[in-house]
Amino acid sequence: MPANTSAENCVFCAIVAGVSPAYRVYEDDDIVAFLDIRPVSRGHTLVIPKPHSLYLEDLDPGNGAKVFQAAQRIARGIRRSDLGAAGVHLVVNDGRAAMQTVFHTHLHVIPRRKGDKLSLSFLFGALWRKLADPERTAEAIREGLRRLG
């Protein structure tokens, strides 16, 4: 397990509590959105649920919906701002193997501009490779879902 797994030592929980600084762009009773301190592009925003959750599987589905609704609103705002964004990427890194570094569920809203040199191929590279035994892989996933009930 990652070292920063509890709410007591989570930087995002400290931002929610107002203890750590952040450039907030949106907040309501359930969600906080703020600029990423290591932006991939100008306007790169993180949307987080206020209650602590490590991974997607820990996230209350209602809060997940609120995170996505806030991200959608922020994406629309970014596209209508003066930042010059023509689109956005919405990205969730879920787990260390998926490059999650802060273990509080969060959604990245990453502005994209026509002609930008930003490459997210490291996140989506698997889509461009030939799938290894896709039928067995799909069945393995379906079986995992059946086990959930």
Side-chain angles (χ1 to χ4, degrees):
M1 288 301 260
N4 61 340
T5 58
S6 70
E8 292 79 31
N9 60 4
C10 172
V11 66
F12 287 177
C13 288
I15 289 170
V16 168
V19 176
S20 289
Y23 293 96
R24 296 173 189 235
V25 298
Y26 176 82
E27 183 170 4
D28 63 25
D29 292 340
D30 305 300
I31 304 299
V32 176
F34 50 91
L35 294 181
D36 192 306
I37 61 169
R38 291 184 209 101
V40 173
S41 68
R42 186 172 174 224
H44 180 167
T45 301
L46 302 178
V47 183
I48 69 167
K50 287 184 175 180
H52 186 75
S53 65
L54 291 175
Y55 306 110
L56 280 174
E57 68 183 49
D58 305 315
L59 180 63
D60 173 80
N63 283 338
K66 291 173 185 176
V67 166
F68 192 87
Q69 288 167 344
Q72 183 182 37
R73 180 175 172 81
I74 290 162
R76 284 194 319 260
I78 287 171
R79 291 180 76 157
R80 285 169 178 76
S81 75
D82 292 334
L83 293 176
V88 298
H89 276 295
L90 297 179
V91 179
V92 174
N93 300 335
D94 186 43
R96 191 175 302 283
M99 297 180 288
Q100 183 178 3
T101 57
V102 177
F103 291 87
H104 181 123
T105 307
H106 56 286
L107 177 60
H108 296 259
V109 181
I110 304 171
R112 297 301 307 267
R113 291 154 187 91
K114 185 174 173 125
D116 67 18
K117 303 296 183 202
L118 178 63
S119 172
L120 293 178
S121 60
F122 68 92
L123 290 174
F124 303 110
L127 298 175
W128 299 328
R129 296 183 187 131
K130 184 177 181 204
L131 293 173
D133 202 355
E135 287 300 323
R136 281 186 23 189
T137 302
E139 181 52 36
I141 294 168
R142 288 190 291 269
E143 178 57 30
L145 292 172
R146 283 191 289 272
R147 289 177 187 161
L148 296 176

